């Protein structure tokens, strides 16, 4: 949050350098992200009053000005035609510097000495929003209250320093000038001065002007209105304009400026209605109706829905609650009666409405972070005090204040000082603890080592003794904490089995050359369409988030392929020639829709690659993961719609499907802008762990030699290699130690529906050296079994 140092000084004394202030506030928990001096880069430019004008003797368009700069009269030649005797103007004197580094020195113009230059708004890098008249072509004419000789940045209200504080989410009370001034006063030990409330009201009561009701107290716990009559719309005072400009807001008129000033000062957004535009003299805080429309102050028309909160009159909505007023109730030049509004709205309601309508305002930003219901009354009375102070109108008697019974929550906490010291590891005097809490605006009474803290409603973050200890140490000073060696204690424990299991897989994949990626568990609801999943596929039953980060992160994923292909696409389209990636993450499946219980969560591995191999390269990695668990896998054709119909396989272990792998379908590649062959696999690690062998068996090295035989058979194209392998293994019995496929051959001579598969068979006995006849008998048995079961023919 960017705050004006001059504005902060109105509420507490700051008599230390800005650098020291920033350092001390950072140590108190408010990190300073930047400091900006509004007067930086401007030197020796002052207010000047033109005492006399003469025509230049050698130039028709030049004038010689005698300029009073406070302590002397200087002569400046100018070509501007909008200057006049008595005009107050910015005068850059000899050896002055303008914004941007431009230097001005004395010289001669057409033979006449000129001791400087008169400046325009543009030359001072000002706009019309910064100072009235700055946008006019010619010399900037200053207001009559400027004094000759005054530094120009002081006269323009720009002799200020803007400090950008980082406000943590648990301190919404500090999203205001008063909130930060209170913290600065506590840190510096100075007095915090809360602006007094002072105004007089007329006999007319606001209830005679407008009536109000709140139909949804959950979304609006507190709503307050006060009225003003006899309003005079005119510019706000200079001091108020300077505060707004320093905060980055453009002054508009006195009423609008007061609402903006109070919002920044107190952290409570306000709105002012033109009373004559409130239909039926009635204000209703209600939910919008589906299809209801509202044109906001920015001229945009919005179609509303029933979950949105609006401020309405008897006829129609007049404002989006907490976000922006309607065009039909804005303050106009002829406005004479207004109604001020100040409220607390539920933060998530404001956030959802603002996001859905695409509106972001200062008001909505503050409400989203949270405001204090207890501060609504002070903010409202502060606004009418400013109206009274600036003579902008007459305050109507009374106020409409609608509050839920639990809107303002103040509580008392009792904390033992010994517990605080034990938490901090140091000894803070009891009196110092009580004094620090009082400086923070938390009334505290010390009695026999017990602090009784009356926590105001604007400090929702203070709930326990640990919170009190935190407040004490950040003001007392972290530098009081002495470093000490930690006590060594033996802790016996280890990672959970699921985490060890995931680490095991990660290590193996890294050893194979893969790079790990970590993606969100949230994906787009369009993922299933991009993967060509059919309508009845269970992977379409993803859990929809109620408050998603955005459309692309709205569903908990039920598969990892979408995330993997998205990352591969990013790498491919940024020129990466190859990618070998993997991700170990949890998938979420709900047993029922709508969800009524904790969803099922299972750990999976996803492998994705392009430019580093083919289907068999991917298969070798999958097989390597399976072998980590001593499992015996069976590969079979699969029918995943997002994989190439002839280059994919499913993997089962003990009859349970544990993985799927293959080349990504060209149509799916097109959906992800991948103009290359992509291979991917997904493995259910938990299912693999449950199905694999639980123990590792060791056998001694063989004593007897093995006999190697090759076998080539012709089978129908539809017969999977896995079935052939199983048939060979079963027929080979105990003497057959291994079966490895080493060739698949197709040709016209074999036939279009035939293929030749060649295997390497290894025979060995653990008890003796096998004879040729023994091997021949087993080999013949294998051939006969293949002919009988699979219709195979020996090639």
């Amino acid at each position: 949050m960017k705050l004006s140092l001059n504005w902060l000084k109105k509420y507490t004394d700051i008599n230390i350098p800005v650098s020291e202030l920033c350092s001390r506030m950072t140590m108190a928990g408010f990190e300073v992200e930047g400091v900006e001096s509004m007067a930086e880069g401007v030197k020796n430019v002052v207010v000047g009053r033109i005492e006399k004008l003469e025509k230049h003797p050698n130039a028709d368009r030049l004038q010689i000005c005698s300029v009073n700069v406070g302590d002397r009269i200087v002569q400046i030649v100018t070509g501007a035609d909008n200057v006049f005797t008595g005009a107050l103007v910015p005068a850059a004197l000899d050896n002055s510097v303008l914004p941007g580094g431009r230097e001005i020195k004395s010289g001669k113009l057409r033979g006449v000495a000129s001791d400087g230059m008169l400046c325009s708004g543009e030359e001072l890098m000002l706009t019309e929003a910064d100072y009235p008249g700055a946008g006019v072509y010619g010399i900037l004419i200053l207001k009559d209250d400027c004094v000759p000789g005054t530094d120009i940045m002081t006269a323009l209200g720009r002799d200020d320093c803007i400090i950008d504080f980082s406000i943590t989410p648990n301190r919404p009370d500090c999203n205001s000038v008063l909130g930060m001034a209170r913290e600065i006063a506590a840190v510096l030990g100075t007095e915090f001065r809360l602006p007094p409330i002072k105004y007089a009201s007329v006999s007319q009561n606001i209830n005679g002007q407008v009536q109000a009701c709140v139909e949804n107290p959950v979304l609006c716990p507190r709503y307050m209105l006060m009225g003003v009559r006899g309003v005079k719309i005119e510019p706000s005072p200079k001091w108020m304009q300077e505060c707004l400009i320093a905060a980055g807001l453009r002054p508009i008129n006195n009423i609008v400026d007061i609402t903006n000033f109070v919002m920044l000062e107190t952290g409570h957004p306000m709105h002012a209605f033109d009373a004559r535009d409130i239909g039926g003299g009635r204000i209703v805080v209600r939910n919008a109706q589906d299809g209801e429309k509202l044109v906001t102050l920015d001229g945009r028309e919005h179609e509303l829905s029933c979950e949105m909160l609006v401020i309405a009159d008897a006829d129609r909505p007049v404002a989006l609650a907490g976000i922006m007023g309607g065009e039909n109730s804005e303050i106009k030049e002829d406005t004479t009666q207004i109604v001020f509004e100040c409220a607390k709205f539920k933060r998530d309601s404001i956030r959802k409405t603002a996001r859905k309508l695409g509106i972001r305002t200062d008001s909505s930003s503050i409400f989203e972070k949270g405001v204090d219901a207890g501060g609504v009354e002070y903010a409202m009375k502060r606004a009418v005090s400013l109206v009274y102070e600036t003579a902008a109108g007459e305050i109507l008697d009374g106020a409409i204040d609608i509050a839920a019974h639990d809107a303002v929550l103040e509580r008392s906490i009792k904390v033992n000082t010994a517990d605080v010291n034990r938490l901090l590891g140091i000894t803070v005097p009891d009196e110092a603890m009580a004094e620090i809490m009082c400086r923070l605006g938390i009334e505290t009474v010390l009695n026999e080592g017990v602090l009784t803290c009356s926590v105001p409603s604007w400090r929702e973050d203070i709930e326990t003794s640990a919170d009190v200890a935190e407040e004490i140490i950040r003001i007392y000073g972290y530098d009081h904490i002495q470093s000490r060696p930690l006590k060594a204690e033996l802790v016996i424990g280890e990672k959970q089995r699921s985490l060890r299991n995931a680490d095991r897989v990660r290590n193996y994949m890294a050893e194979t050359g893969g790079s790990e990626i970590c993606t969100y568990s949230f994906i787009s609801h369009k993922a299933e369409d991009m993967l060509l999943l059919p309508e009845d596929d269970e992977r379409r039953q993803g859990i929809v988030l109620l408050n998603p980060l955005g459309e692309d992160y709205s569903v908990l994923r039920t598969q990892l392929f979408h995330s993997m292909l998205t990352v591969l696409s990013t790498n491919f389209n940024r020129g990466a020639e190859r990618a070998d990636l993997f991700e170990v993450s949890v998938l979420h499946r709900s047993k029922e829709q709508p969800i009524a219980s904790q969803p099922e969560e299972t750990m999976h591995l996803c492998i994705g690659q392009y430019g580093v191999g083919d289907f068999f390269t991917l298969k070798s990695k999958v097989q390597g993961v399976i072998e980590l668990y001593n499992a015996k896998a069976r590969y079979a054709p699969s029918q995943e719609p997002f994989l190439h119909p002839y280059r994919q396989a499913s993997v089962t272990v003990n009859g349970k499907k544990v993985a799927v792998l293959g080349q990504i379908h060209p149509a799916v590649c097109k959906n992800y802008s991948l103009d290359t062959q992509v291979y991917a696999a997904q493995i259910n690690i938990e299912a693999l762990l449950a199905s694999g062998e639980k123990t590792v068996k060791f056998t001694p090295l063989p004593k007897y030699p093995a006999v190697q035989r090759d076998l080539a058979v012709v089978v129908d194209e539809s017969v999977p290699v896995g079935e052939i392998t199983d048939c060979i293994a079963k027929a080979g019995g105990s003497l057959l130690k291994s079966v490895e496929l080493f060739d698949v051959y197709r040709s016209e001579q074999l036939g279009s529906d035939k293929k030749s598969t060649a295997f390497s068979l290894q025979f060995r006995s653990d008890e003796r050296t096998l004879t040729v006849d023994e091997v021949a008998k087993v080999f013949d048995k294998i051939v006969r079994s293949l002919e009988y079961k699979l219709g195979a023919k020996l090639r």
Side-chain angles (χ1 to χ4, degrees):
M1 182 178 182
K2 294 184 177 181
L3 294 177
S4 158
L5 182 62
N6 287 347
W7 199 347
L8 289 168
K9 287 180 178 179
K10 294 177 181 290
Y11 312 120
T12 189
D13 295 327
I14 303 176
N15 298 317
I16 59 176
V18 174
S19 57
E20 184 180 345
L21 173 66
C22 293
S23 176
R24 295 182 65 173
M25 292 306 297
T26 297
M27 291 303 297
F30 296 94
E31 182 181 358
V32 175
E33 297 184 340
V35 178
E36 174 189 352
S37 174
M38 297 179 69
E40 188 174 1
V42 180
K43 175 185 175 184
N44 206 21
V45 183
V46 300
V47 176
R49 182 171 60 226
I50 299 177
E51 303 291 353
K52 186 171 66 172
L53 282 174
E54 295 179 13
K55 189 172 181 178
H56 195 290
N58 303 319
D60 293 337
R61 295 188 176 182
L62 297 181
Q63 298 185 80
I64 303 172
C65 307
S66 296
V67 183
N68 180 354
V69 293
D71 58 348
R72 65 190 186 279
I73 303 293
V74 298
Q75 179 175 287
I76 297 177
V77 178
T78 181
D81 57 6
N82 69 323
V83 294
F84 53 90
T85 302
L88 292 165
V89 295
L93 305 178
D94 183 34
N95 292 321
S96 60
V97 180
L98 299 182
R102 181 183 177 186
E103 296 182 1
I104 305 297
K105 294 184 179 297
S106 297
K108 288 186 177 182
L109 289 177
R110 293 290 185 91
V112 176
S114 180
D115 295 327
M117 182 183 78
L118 303 185
C119 303
S120 66
E122 182 180 3
E123 287 164 333
L124 293 173
M125 290 189 179
L126 300 174
T127 65
E128 192 68 28
D130 297 321
Y131 194 87
V136 175
Y137 180 77
I139 301 302
L140 173 61
I141 305 301
L142 303 173
K143 296 178 182 178
D144 294 339
D145 56 357
C146 295
V147 178
T150 305
D151 184 274
I152 190 62
M153 302 311 286
T154 301
L156 294 173
R158 300 181 69 82
D159 58 334
D160 201 354
C161 183
I162 307 301
I163 306 176
D164 190 0
F165 291 101
S166 176
I167 310 299
T168 53
N170 67 319
R171 293 300 305 274
D173 60 294
C174 289
N175 288 306
S176 65
V177 180
L178 286 177
M180 281 307 301
R182 181 186 290 109
E183 290 295 321
I184 291 173
V187 171
L188 301 184
T190 55
E191 179 188 1
F192 171 64
R193 299 182 292 271
L194 192 67
I197 301 300
K198 182 180 179 181
Y199 66 91
S201 59
V202 297
S203 58
Q204 182 182 353
N205 193 282
I206 186 176
N207 288 291
Q209 184 183 47
V210 66
Q211 301 295 316
C213 72
V214 176
E215 294 184 356
N216 193 334
V218 174
L219 299 187
C220 179
R222 190 170 190 183
Y223 191 76
M224 191 170 182
L225 299 173
M226 289 188 75
V228 180
R229 74 179 187 185
V231 173
K232 304 169 188 175
I233 302 298
E234 56 190 11
S236 55
K238 180 182 176 182
W239 61 267
M240 185 178 292
Q241 293 189 30
E242 290 175 354
C243 289
L244 295 177
I245 291 171
L249 296 183
R250 178 174 61 89
I252 298 175
N253 59 53
N254 53 352
I255 298 301
V256 175
D257 289 355
I258 284 173
T259 62
N260 287 333
F261 182 89
V262 171
M263 175 184 71
L264 295 171
E265 183 185 56
T266 68
H268 284 271
M270 295 191 63
H271 185 66
F273 296 100
D274 190 326
R276 62 187 170 180
D277 293 327
I278 300 175
R282 181 175 174 79
I283 290 180
V284 182
V285 184
R286 62 172 174 82
N287 288 77
Q289 300 173 5
D290 284 328
E292 205 167 20
K293 295 183 178 180
L294 172 66
V295 178
T296 48
L297 286 171
D298 57 2
R300 295 170 55 193
E301 183 178 70
H302 302 278
E303 184 171 333
L304 311 179
S305 53
C306 61
E307 72 273 9
M308 299 176 183
L309 194 69
V310 297
I311 311 300
D313 59 17
D315 307 316
R316 65 196 187 285
V318 295
L320 281 171
I323 301 175
M324 187 180 290
E327 191 177 48
N328 51 16
S329 64
E330 65 178 336
I331 301 301
K332 309 170 189 65
E333 291 184 1
D334 60 345
T335 297
T336 58
Q337 284 191 304
I338 63 170
V339 175
F340 277 127
E341 169 201 81
C342 191
K344 174 181 173 63
F345 300 111
K346 194 174 180 182
R347 65 179 72 181
D348 56 343
S349 171
I350 302 299
R351 181 175 61 252
K352 290 176 183 177
T353 300
R355 181 178 295 175
K356 188 170 184 179
L357 296 180
I359 303 176
R360 183 74 174 178
T361 64
D362 293 327
S363 174
S364 67
S365 177
I366 292 174
F367 275 118
E368 287 176 19
K369 295 169 185 172
V371 300
D372 166 38
V376 169
E377 182 177 358
Y378 175 81
M380 175 64 79
K381 291 184 176 180
R382 175 64 171 150
V384 297
S385 291
L386 290 171
V387 171
Y388 183 77
E389 178 184 337
T390 58
E394 297 177 331
I395 317 303
L396 298 186
D397 187 36
I400 296 175
D401 189 359
I402 305 172
H405 70 282
D406 58 348
V408 181
L409 297 176
E410 294 187 354
R411 57 203 179 281
S412 179
I413 298 177
K414 290 190 176 182
V415 179
N416 194 306
T417 56
D419 292 339
V420 173
N421 284 328
R422 186 164 52 252
L423 281 171
L424 299 179
I426 60 175
T427 300
V428 181
D430 293 1
E431 294 76 12
M433 292 187 189
E435 191 259 342
I436 287 172
M437 296 302 290
C438 290
R439 278 160 53 187
L440 288 168
I442 304 169
E443 186 178 339
T444 301
V445 177
L446 174 64
N447 184 21
E448 296 182 355
V450 177
L451 299 173
T452 302
C453 305
S454 299
V455 183
S457 59
W458 40 267
R459 288 305 303 268
E460 295 180 357
D461 59 308
I462 297 181
E463 297 177 343
T464 65
S465 59
D467 299 321
V468 173
E470 179 186 5
E471 294 300 302
I472 290 171
I473 191 58
R474 70 183 183 87
I475 303 299
Y476 189 66
Y478 292 108
D479 54 334
H480 286 88
I481 299 177
Q482 301 297 320
S483 58
R484 292 180 299 179
L486 294 174
K487 292 182 179 179
E489 296 182 2
L490 180 62
V491 179
I492 301 176
E494 61 178 352
K495 283 186 177 181
Q496 296 178 354
R497 186 187 184 196
S498 60
L499 297 179
R500 298 199 308 272
N501 190 31
D503 288 344
R504 187 181 184 188
V505 174
R506 288 190 179 98
N507 292 337
Y508 171 77
M509 292 305 303
E511 290 170 1
T512 64
S515 298
E516 185 176 6
I517 63 172
C518 295
T519 60
Y520 284 116
S521 294
F522 315 132
I523 61 174
S524 170
H525 63 87
K526 299 177 182 178
E528 292 81 7
D529 295 331
M530 297 176 70
L531 291 172
L532 307 180
L533 295 179
E535 293 296 328
D536 58 349
D537 194 299
E538 65 175 2
R539 285 168 292 192
R540 282 186 174 270
Q541 304 302 315
I543 301 170
V544 180
L545 302 181
L546 293 177
N547 185 25
L549 295 172
E551 185 177 338
D552 291 339
Y553 306 97
S554 57
V555 180
L556 276 173
R557 60 187 175 188
T558 58
Q559 41 71 32
L560 294 174
F561 288 104
H562 174 75
S563 299
M564 177 59 71
L565 290 176
T566 301
V567 176
L568 289 174
S569 173
T570 301
N571 282 270
F572 177 78
N573 288 290
R574 291 183 179 176
E577 296 180 356
R578 61 189 296 276
D580 187 0
L581 309 177
F582 71 92
E583 179 175 17
V584 178
S585 189
V586 170
L587 295 185
H588 303 79
R589 297 263 180 105
S590 176
K591 301 176 183 178
E592 53 198 352
Q593 292 288 349
I595 184 171
S597 58
Q598 181 71 20
E600 178 184 352
E601 298 181 352
T602 52
M603 190 73 70
H604 283 69
L605 163 69
C606 185
I607 307 172
Q609 60 186 42
Y610 69 80
V612 293
D614 55 14
F615 175 86
F616 297 102
T617 306
L618 177 66
K619 180 184 175 184
S620 67
K621 292 189 175 184
V622 174
Q623 183 63 30
V625 174
I626 292 172
E627 290 175 357
L628 288 175
Y629 299 92
N630 307 309
K632 295 180 180 179
R634 177 183 176 85
Y635 293 83
S638 65
Q639 296 181 342
E640 293 289 356
F642 50 85
L643 295 178
H644 193 290
Y646 305 115
R647 298 174 189 171
Q648 61 171 295
S650 63
V651 185
T652 57
V653 175
N654 295 336
K656 185 174 182 179
K657 183 176 178 180
V658 296
V660 62
L661 69 150
Q663 180 182 336
I664 300 298
H665 196 290
V668 176
C669 284
K670 186 176 180 181
N671 290 341
Y672 288 91
S673 302
L674 282 162
D675 188 17
T676 186
Q677 290 187 354
V678 180
Y679 298 89
Q682 181 176 292
I683 306 172
N684 187 333
I685 300 176
E686 293 186 13
L688 188 60
L689 178 63
S691 302
E693 295 183 6
K694 302 299 185 295
T695 58
V696 178
K697 297 180 181 179
F698 293 91
T699 56
L701 293 173
K703 297 180 180 180
Y704 304 98
V707 177
Q708 198 84 17
R709 295 287 299 272
D710 290 343
L711 171 66
V713 293
V714 178
V715 296
D716 292 340
E717 184 69 53
S718 61
V719 178
V721 172
E723 288 188 20
I724 303 174
T725 304
D726 289 345
C727 186
I728 294 173
K730 189 173 183 180
S734 61
L735 295 182
L736 180 63
K737 297 303 181 182
S738 68
V739 182
E740 291 186 5
L741 175 75
F742 67 84
D743 183 51
V744 177
Y745 174 73
R746 298 176 177 85
S747 69
E748 294 181 1
Q749 290 82 358
L750 292 177
S752 60
D753 60 342
K754 299 291 184 179
K755 65 182 176 183
S756 171
T757 57
F759 298 87
S760 176
L761 311 181
Q762 188 182 80
F763 300 92
R764 186 177 61 244
S765 171
D766 297 332
E767 300 173 352
R768 64 188 185 283
T769 301
L770 294 175
T771 64
V772 174
D773 291 340
E774 287 178 312
V775 174
K777 287 181 181 179
V778 177
F779 190 85
D780 290 342
K781 182 180 179 182
I782 291 172
V783 173
R784 290 194 303 273
S785 179
L786 290 171
E787 291 176 347
Y788 176 73
K789 293 183 178 180
L790 302 177
K793 293 182 180 180
L794 189 65
R795 185 179 172 199

